């Protein structure tokens, strides 16, 4: 059974960056990954949004994510040892920091994470889900 622990969402005042950067993986993609992370901006109100993803406190993914038609998914492959790992999504968009840290337990099989950025009347937030099977996006 997969376990997910949400550790927090925080917002602090900061300035936004004007330069756009295409989403990309900072950690080299392995030949035989056992964890695939899908990242998407689901906010029409905040597009593009700068998203940085850290795996075990190491910068793994960075870029400015466009909402498009809300069907813009970017996948990134990693090789993680069996056990518990930390996945953290962060944005500084909108002059504040929004972050979500999740603890994920990776098995010997291939696991899939989905990290999405959302906004609503109450503010901005990330959602994270860990799955045994590759997600299907419609």
């Amino acid at each position: 059974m997969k376990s997910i622990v949400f550790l927090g969402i925080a917002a602090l005042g900061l300035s936004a960056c004007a330069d756009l950067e295409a989403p990309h993986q900072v950690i080299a993609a392995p030949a035989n990954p056992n964890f695939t992370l899908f990242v998407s901006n689901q906010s029409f109100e905040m597009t593009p949004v700068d998203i940085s993803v850290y795996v075990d406190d190491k910068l793994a993914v960075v870029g400015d994510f466009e909402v498009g038609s809300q069907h813009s998914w970017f996948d990134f492959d990693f090789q993680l040892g069996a056990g518990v790992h930390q996945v953290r999504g962060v944005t500084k968009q909108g002059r504040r920091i929004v972050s979500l840290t999740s603890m994920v337990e990776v098995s010997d099989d291939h696991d899939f994470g989905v990290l999405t950025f959302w906004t609503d009347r109450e503010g901005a937030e990330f959602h994270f889900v860990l799955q045994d099977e590759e997600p299907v996006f419609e």
Side-chain angles (χ1 to χ4, degrees):
M1 172 174 233
K2 302 280 181 237
S3 58
I4 302 174
V5 178
F6 295 104
L7 295 179
I9 297 175
L12 302 171
L14 283 182
S15 61
C17 180
D19 296 329
L20 296 181
E21 182 177 6
H24 63 280
Q25 188 163 336
V26 177
I27 296 174
N32 297 308
N34 66 344
F35 180 71
T36 300
L37 178 67
F38 292 88
V39 181
S40 180
N41 175 11
Q42 296 291 298
S43 170
F44 285 113
E45 291 81 20
M46 209 176 276
T47 186
V49 65
D50 65 296
I51 297 176
S52 298
V53 179
Y54 296 83
V55 176
D56 295 332
D57 291 324
K58 293 180 184 171
L59 183 62
V61 173
V62 68
D64 295 303
F65 290 75
E66 298 275 356
V67 69
S69 63
Q70 287 186 315
H71 296 282
S72 301
W73 296 92
F74 296 85
D75 58 307
F76 306 99
D77 292 323
F78 302 95
Q79 179 65 46
L80 302 178
V84 178
H85 296 273
Q86 182 186 75
V87 176
R88 180 167 44 106
V90 178
T91 180
K92 297 177 185 172
Q93 188 70 21
R95 297 189 332 215
R96 62 183 162 192
I97 294 176
V98 178
S99 71
L100 171 68
T101 302
S102 297
M103 303 303 288
V104 298
E105 184 171 356
V106 175
S107 66
D108 292 334
D109 298 325
H110 197 111
D111 295 310
F112 302 89
V114 178
L115 180 69
T116 54
F117 177 81
W118 295 85
T119 56
D120 60 23
R121 292 181 198 155
E122 297 173 12
E125 63 186 11
F126 283 99
H127 294 198
F128 181 82
V129 177
L130 183 66
Q131 302 178 189
D132 291 330
E133 297 181 10
E134 186 168 354
V136 177
F137 304 109
E138 297 180 3

